Amino acid sequence: MRKSGAIRVAAMVAACGAMVMSLTSCGNSGHSGAAGSGGSRTDDAPRPSTDLKRIPGIGDRLWQRLPAGTRQVVAVYGDGPHSPDSTVEFFTKHGSTWDRARSWPAHNGRKGWTTDHHEGDQHSPVGMFTLSDAGGVLDDPGAKLPYTKSAAFQAPHYWNKAYWHDFDYVIAIDYNRVKGTAPNDPTRPQGQSKGGSIWLHMDHGSGTSACVSMSEPAMRYLLRNLDPRQHPVVIMGDKAELGA
């Protein structure tokens, strides 16, 4: 159960009826599970601490929006504006410099990236978003973020079998959602047309409907290390947009 207590159970039950609608933001049974080009890269490969003054590849437009208290960044570098392949790197701040802690292959929206995301467009939204809540089908692996375990996260079994474990672990990206709620809460402050349920979740080997997907070891690492006291954010997009 969620660390904040049983009060969240009622909210989860209420959300179950909307779960299929929410989940389709992150997966679609009509697509195969064929491996993407990122599958050949090494998972969970440590990177040396490099005492970076700022995170590589992030231009002034996004960097200037970084909250002053943020000391953890998940950077998602999309291979191209229309590519479903990307790389996730995890950075932590020590003093005035940043260290690159981990790097993993990943996937994003099947049709790439967009600066104007809408429901069903199969593009991942470009931008900087906070990371506040987590959950999944499986037991809490030791998450520092508030974690909601529920069978309501289970992908429908009429989807392609390759997608059944996508939501074993999820981390909500705070795009068009209410912070402090379970990742599958259906509330959309900007309206349903702007989409929602944009998550970091487990990978099925190809592009998603809008989320960013990674291996189980990568998800477990992030769940155990993302710390709300460090005000973590995700900065995500294709490399050209990130560098603008």
Side-chain angles (χ1 to χ4, degrees):
M1 295 297 296
R2 186 176 175 82
K3 295 171 182 174
S4 59
I7 192 170
R8 292 291 297 281
V9 174
M12 286 298 301
V13 172
C16 287
M19 193 58 198
V20 172
M21 178 179 68
S22 297
L23 288 176
T24 54
S25 294
C26 288
N28 188 315
S29 61
H31 293 264
S32 70
S37 63
S40 63
R41 287 175 282 175
T42 303
D43 248 1
D44 200 23
R47 297 291 187 91
S49 297
T50 51
D51 295 328
L52 302 163
K53 294 298 182 183
R54 60 189 285 176
I55 294 172
I58 308 302
D60 290 342
R61 177 174 57 85
L62 286 171
W63 189 252
Q64 290 169 0
R65 293 173 47 196
L66 188 73
T70 290
R71 305 188 71 83
Q72 293 181 327
V73 170
V74 178
V76 185
Y77 299 97
D79 283 5
H82 309 296
S83 173
D85 299 322
S86 52
T87 299
V88 169
E89 297 194 343
F90 180 56
F91 296 87
T92 59
K93 191 175 186 181
H94 301 278
S96 61
T97 61
W98 293 87
D99 294 342
R100 182 190 286 108
R102 288 290 190 277
S103 179
W104 306 277
H107 290 100
N108 50 265
R110 295 182 185 92
K111 294 185 178 180
W113 298 90
T114 181
T115 56
D116 186 23
H117 176 70
H118 285 79
E119 185 81 21
D121 68 12
Q122 299 193 46
H123 293 77
S124 294
V126 174
M128 180 185 298
F129 310 99
T130 53
L131 299 169
S132 304
D133 302 279
V137 177
L138 299 181
D139 290 339
D140 183 348
K144 292 182 172 69
L145 295 174
Y147 187 94
T148 301
K149 177 191 175 183
S150 175
F153 285 100
Q154 178 64 59
H157 278 201
Y158 59 79
W159 287 7
N160 186 310
K161 189 175 181 179
Y163 295 77
W164 288 3
H165 294 284
D166 278 14
F167 314 127
D168 282 357
Y169 293 127
V170 307
I171 299 169
I173 294 170
D174 293 335
Y175 169 88
N176 198 18
R177 70 177 301 270
V178 177
K179 298 179 186 180
T181 63
N184 58 345
D185 185 284
T187 307
R188 303 285 178 264
Q190 299 175 52
Q192 193 65 35
S193 67
K194 291 295 290 181
S197 294
I198 310 296
W199 299 340
L200 304 175
H201 68 67
M202 302 240 301
D203 192 53
H204 52 251
S206 61
T208 71
S209 286
C211 297
V212 174
S213 61
M214 292 172 285
S215 68
E216 180 175 357
M219 286 298 300
R220 290 174 69 89
Y221 179 91
L222 288 176
L223 284 165
R224 290 170 174 168
N225 285 277
L226 287 171
D227 186 343
R229 296 171 299 180
Q230 306 301 318
H231 306 287
V233 303
V234 59
I235 305 176
M236 52 194 277
D238 61 275
K239 292 173 184 176
E241 284 288 344
L242 290 181

